[in-house]
Amino acid sequence: MTAGFGLVALPLPLEQLYTYRIPEALADRVIPGARVVVPVRRRELIGVVVGLTDQPPDRELRDILAAPDPEPALPAALLDLARWVAGYYAAPLGLALKAMLPGAMWGASQVIVERRGRAGTLGGLAGEVLALLDRKGGRAAVPALARALRRPVWDALDRLGRAGLIAFRTE
């Protein structure tokens, strides 16, 4: 049985970790050290999973939206080093992690989707996403896709990414 909740460190000056529900489609990618896209208030931020748990907190949780990388961004040894740095310097874990990864992975960065392969006719939201990407020259930011289609697109993007029809890039 896999853990149903991920503990996520965000690059914010806060000591606490945030708990998010792991959607079944992302269960194989949401592991310690992996970058994830999570909702925070009215925006989406990129954070790092630092732990997994089966115990839900006593409040309603939101889902992890995406895990854009096929492999964890930080191996276990660097995650342990970030914990040590945070403890030694009395800094939030999210800020220690922010110092360990390239700046493009944080702050004002956004996830860009690029069309990679060609497929037969796809229906539903996945087909709409591919058609929109074709109209936009083969690449677009995820928030722009969601606005244009007027609904969340992360599930469809994850399926398209696993099929090799799109690729994720952080700018």
Side-chain angles (χ1 to χ4, degrees):
M1 180 174 154
T2 61
F5 307 96
L7 303 173
V8 178
L10 296 171
L12 301 171
L14 302 171
E15 287 292 328
Q16 71 190 53
L17 297 176
Y18 292 82
T19 305
Y20 288 90
R21 191 174 27 251
I22 302 172
E24 192 173 321
L26 298 176
D28 62 329
R29 285 187 165 185
V30 178
I31 59 176
R35 288 187 322 137
V36 292
V37 179
V38 295
V40 178
R41 297 191 183 189
R42 293 186 178 158
R43 59 186 176 154
E44 296 172 355
L45 291 177
I46 296 174
V48 175
V49 177
V50 296
L52 302 173
T53 183
D54 292 333
Q55 301 300 318
D58 57 354
R59 58 183 160 67
E60 189 173 331
L61 296 179
R62 297 169 83 181
D63 287 346
I64 292 174
L65 300 174
D69 305 321
E71 299 292 326
L74 290 167
L78 283 180
L79 202 52
D80 290 341
L81 178 62
R83 285 188 184 103
W84 180 86
V85 167
Y88 187 82
Y89 291 103
L93 180 57
L95 293 181
L97 290 167
K98 183 178 179 181
M100 298 183 92
L101 290 172
M105 294 184 167
W106 306 104
S109 63
Q110 61 181 336
V111 179
I112 304 294
V113 177
E114 294 180 343
R115 180 77 188 245
R116 287 290 182 220
R118 295 286 175 222
T121 306
L122 292 177
L125 184 57
E128 291 178 44
V129 167
L130 291 178
L132 183 58
L133 280 172
D134 288 340
R135 287 193 304 270
K136 291 187 170 279
R139 69 187 296 266
V142 173
L145 292 172
R147 277 192 308 274
L149 296 172
R150 297 179 184 212
R151 57 186 152 170
V153 294
W154 280 110
D155 285 340
L157 292 175
D158 183 58
R159 289 191 306 273
L160 290 169
R162 288 173 188 263
L165 297 174
I166 62 169
F168 295 100
R169 192 166 49 96
T170 303
E171 281 186 358

